[in-house]
Amino acid sequence: MRLTLVPLLFFCSICFAQNNYPQDYFSNPLEIPLILAGNFAELRSNHFHSGLDIKTQQREGLKVLAAADGFISRIKISHFGYGKALYITHPNGYTTVYGHLQHFNPEIEAYVKKQQYEKESYEIELFPKAGELQFSKEDVVAYSGNTGGSGGPHLHFEIRDKEEHALNPLLFGIDIADSVKPIVSNLYTYAIGDSSYVNNSNAKQKLRLIPLQNGDYMAENIEAFGEIGFAIGTTDRQNLAANNNGVYNVQTFFNGNKNFEMNFKEFSFDESKHINRLIDYEIFKTKKQRVQKLFNDNNPLSLFESVLNDGYIKIEDSTNSVYKIRITDYKNNDTWVTVNITGKKSDAFQKIQPETSPYYIYANQTTNLKEGNVSVDIYPNTFYEDLYVNFQVKNDTLILNKDIIPLQKSITISFDVSKYSDEDKNKLYIAELLGYKKYPSYSSTKRNGNTLSTFTKTLGTYALTTDNNKPTITPINFQNGQWLSNFRYLKIKIDDDLSGISNYRATVNGKWILMEYEYKTKTLTYDFNDGAVTDTKNNLKVIVTDNVGNSSTFESMFYRK
């Protein structure tokens, strides 16, 4: 009877929680039906997704509407992240966010471009005063796009509270058609401590899942003893879309008693980094699968709603137990996973010993590792627990463990470059070596005298790398000496094959012009509608500099009436 009552009680608690949020205040930010490419708090690389990704029918330029009355309180334009983004603060204290925009409405566009030309910068962040840019509900404030770190045309939409916590927009009555049950792809079990084991081994194990006709799952039966935990790979789909999105709630029950719950209603941006502790980071880095733990192993996330014994369960000898997992989406479609567990104590079981090394890190202490010309500074509470790390230096290459351990904070990696000539020093940078072929990926590098340093939240292999190559600059839609009277845009491709592009500057007849940089296509675009080009004969000059200071200059003449 207890298990029968749990779903009803849980559903009622959801209904009660939702009533705490205004239900008819915010409207659809687009003029088309809402179909999601991504939903709130789903698991992303190094963060929880902070809003809804709304499909725009694979198009750009759809009208983006103010979800309620309010004023533009923040405008941010960046090459990465949200790209072009607007923030609207509303009288009820909430703020809505609109990201990956193509461009703003004419009033906002003029306001922004005036500031961009004054600061001579495409990337900009502005904080208009209340009443300066005021809009009513459903006014057009922008047009949808694909700017920043977007993988395709869509609108990123958020709702935040006064404390800048990201809130699930579905809590506010924004409706998404969804009659599809969550999907479970993986289930793992963990033996906790030296005296616990599952199927006669204390190694992490993947369990076989048997799909049932009603959409639920039965896991293979296991034998266990001692304290154990589980982790699950699960996603959800909404109607009209095949995207694998995040779920809303996960609960676990041991012999009918709830011992763990996560509710994806809200989170603070500061805690989003702890996603790498929530998931099994090693599985993610080695198998590209996000498997979230159903226990709290020293994770400060606020998403944990109800946790008994940190979500672990204890299996006694000669017992029969049932462990159940309930995964629920926002529309209360749910999927259950059942694991039958037989308690069986063994005098001999396979014991997997963790790898050791000469370097042991105490999580609450500062640690400095040094060998040859390389040093690594690790600060207190960078790691979640005490552990061994592999630390090796070979010539100008640092091997700092495998990237299978999550970090809370950045570490500092430093190389002494005093043995290099001054000319060579100017071309050096620190790179993370990625993949089987150890491809060098630029890690933001600072120089202080004879020391190069980088901050990183990723373990792995790092090396000093030389970049003697200048960036390339190639015109896309024009030639030298061409008449461009009927052109709306001027397009140039810029690229750098090693350290990457640091900055660029474009002028016409010596005056700075606003060229928008789209890193996904490596394209600079100037819009003649800016009105900055007024002469008939024009000399275009573009200077592009990479991250070690190599610079290229492109010049071309064009004409306009």
Side-chain angles (χ1 to χ4, degrees), residues 87-351:
Y87 299 70
I88 302 180
T89 295
H90 306 282
N92 64 354
Y94 293 103
T95 296
T96 51
V97 183
Y98 312 77
H100 307 305
L101 303 171
Q102 183 188 64
H103 60 279
F104 309 121
N105 80 357
E107 181 183 2
I108 302 171
E109 193 78 9
Y111 177 90
V112 172
K113 286 194 173 182
K114 181 176 183 293
Q115 300 293 324
Q116 287 175 313
Y117 271 93
E118 286 182 1
K119 298 179 185 296
E120 296 191 354
S121 175
Y122 169 66
E123 291 193 298
I124 198 167
E125 187 170 16
L126 304 171
F127 297 92
K129 297 178 181 179
E132 195 170 1
L133 293 170
Q134 193 82 27
F135 292 94
S136 299
K137 186 174 185 175
E138 298 186 351
D139 280 350
V140 177
V141 293
Y143 297 85
S144 67
N146 187 30
T147 56
S150 171
H154 72 276
L155 174 67
H156 175 88
F157 177 73
E158 290 180 24
I159 299 178
R160 301 182 183 183
D161 64 15
K162 292 179 180 178
E163 286 72 40
E164 281 289 297
H165 287 186
L167 307 175
N168 193 331
L170 301 185
L171 293 166
F172 295 82
I174 292 176
D175 190 44
I176 305 295
D178 185 1
S179 59
V180 182
K181 292 165 65 98
I183 301 164
V184 178
S185 54
N186 292 292
L187 180 65
Y188 283 81
T189 183
Y190 301 73
I192 309 301
D194 294 336
S195 59
S196 301
Y197 41 89
V198 176
N199 294 334
N200 217 37
S201 172
N202 74 341
K204 175 172 52 185
Q205 298 177 51
K206 184 176 182 179
L207 301 182
R208 183 167 57 92
L209 289 168
I210 304 167
L212 305 178
Q213 288 187 346
N214 65 352
D216 294 338
Y217 298 83
M218 179 69 71
E220 63 177 285
N221 297 340
I222 63 173
E223 295 180 345
F225 180 80
E227 199 168 50
I228 66 174
F230 291 85
I232 194 167
T234 182
T235 55
D236 186 45
R237 290 180 179 174
Q238 288 80 44
N239 298 0
L240 307 177
N243 301 75
N244 289 315
N245 298 331
V247 300
Y248 181 69
N249 182 278
V250 182
Q251 297 174 316
T252 69
F253 305 88
F254 183 53
N255 293 330
N257 297 309
K258 184 166 72 171
N259 74 314
F260 178 87
E261 181 177 2
M262 285 195 70
N263 208 358
F264 295 97
K265 292 191 303 184
E266 68 173 276
F267 61 86
S268 69
F269 289 93
D270 287 342
E271 66 179 328
S272 196
K273 62 188 176 185
H274 298 299
I275 188 174
N276 288 334
R277 183 64 168 180
L278 173 65
I279 64 172
D280 187 311
Y281 190 71
E282 181 178 5
I283 291 176
F284 173 62
K285 299 303 288 190
T286 57
K287 299 184 178 181
K288 305 303 180 185
Q289 300 170 355
R290 290 189 176 93
V291 177
Q292 69 181 68
K293 300 169 188 172
L294 302 178
F295 50 86
N296 180 3
D297 55 344
N298 190 32
N299 193 333
L301 278 175
S302 65
L303 297 169
F304 300 120
E305 292 261 325
S306 175
V307 181
L308 179 65
N309 192 33
D310 290 327
Y312 300 115
I313 59 174
K314 189 172 184 180
I315 307 300
E316 304 286 353
D317 188 27
S318 302
T319 58
N320 291 300
S321 303
V322 179
Y323 181 81
K324 285 183 174 286
I325 308 166
R326 185 187 187 221
I327 308 104
T328 312
D329 64 23
Y330 189 80
K331 286 298 185 74
N332 211 43
N333 303 299
D334 65 353
T335 298
W336 289 81
V337 178
T338 301
V339 187
N340 291 313
I341 307 170
T342 300
K344 185 175 181 180
K345 188 174 183 179
S346 173
D347 293 331
F349 62 92
Q350 183 184 15
K351 201 167 186 179

Side-chain angles (χ1 to χ4, degrees), residues 314-464:
K314 189 172 184 180
I315 307 300
E316 304 286 353
D317 188 27
S318 302
T319 58
N320 291 300
S321 303
V322 179
Y323 181 81
K324 285 183 174 286
I325 308 166
R326 185 187 187 221
I327 308 104
T328 312
D329 64 23
Y330 189 80
K331 286 298 185 74
N332 211 43
N333 303 299
D334 65 353
T335 298
W336 289 81
V337 178
T338 301
V339 187
N340 291 313
I341 307 170
T342 300
K344 185 175 181 180
K345 188 174 183 179
S346 173
D347 293 331
F349 62 92
Q350 183 184 15
K351 201 167 186 179
I352 307 299
Q353 297 293 345
E355 293 184 12
T356 61
S357 79
Y359 303 97
Y360 191 74
I361 308 299
Y362 292 96
N364 64 349
Q365 298 180 13
T366 298
T367 302
N368 175 261
L369 306 175
K370 184 173 177 57
E371 183 178 333
N373 65 325
V374 181
S375 64
V376 178
D377 291 306
I378 302 170
Y379 309 101
N381 301 315
T382 294
F383 291 97
Y384 289 89
E385 59 203 354
D386 301 344
L387 76 171
Y388 290 98
V389 297
N390 179 23
F391 172 72
Q392 300 179 50
V393 176
K394 299 178 180 178
N395 298 322
D396 284 334
T397 299
L398 163 68
I399 300 172
L400 187 60
N401 219 77
K402 296 178 182 177
D403 179 22
I404 57 174
I405 302 171
L407 306 183
Q408 298 188 67
K409 299 179 180 179
S410 294
I411 61 175
T412 303
I413 298 173
S414 301
F415 286 78
D416 184 339
V417 296
S418 56
K419 66 180 180 181
Y420 289 90
S421 67
D422 289 341
E423 182 179 357
D424 290 339
K425 288 175 190 175
N426 293 330
K427 303 302 179 182
L428 288 173
Y429 66 97
I430 301 173
E432 182 182 6
L433 305 185
L434 300 176
Y436 174 74
K437 295 184 178 180
K438 300 299 181 184
Y439 176 81
S441 176
Y442 177 78
S443 185
S444 183
T445 304
K446 305 296 182 184
R447 181 175 172 183
N448 183 11
N450 287 320
T451 302
L452 295 184
S453 299
T454 187
F455 296 95
T456 179
K457 284 187 178 179
T458 305
L459 302 180
T461 303
Y462 291 82
L464 281 181

Side-chain angles (χ1 to χ4, degrees), residues 11-29:
F11 178 72
C12 291
S13 68
I14 287 181
C15 295
F16 178 78
Q18 290 174 3
N19 289 335
N20 294 331
Y21 302 89
Q23 296 300 292
D24 299 314
Y25 193 86
F26 296 111
S27 62
N28 186 343

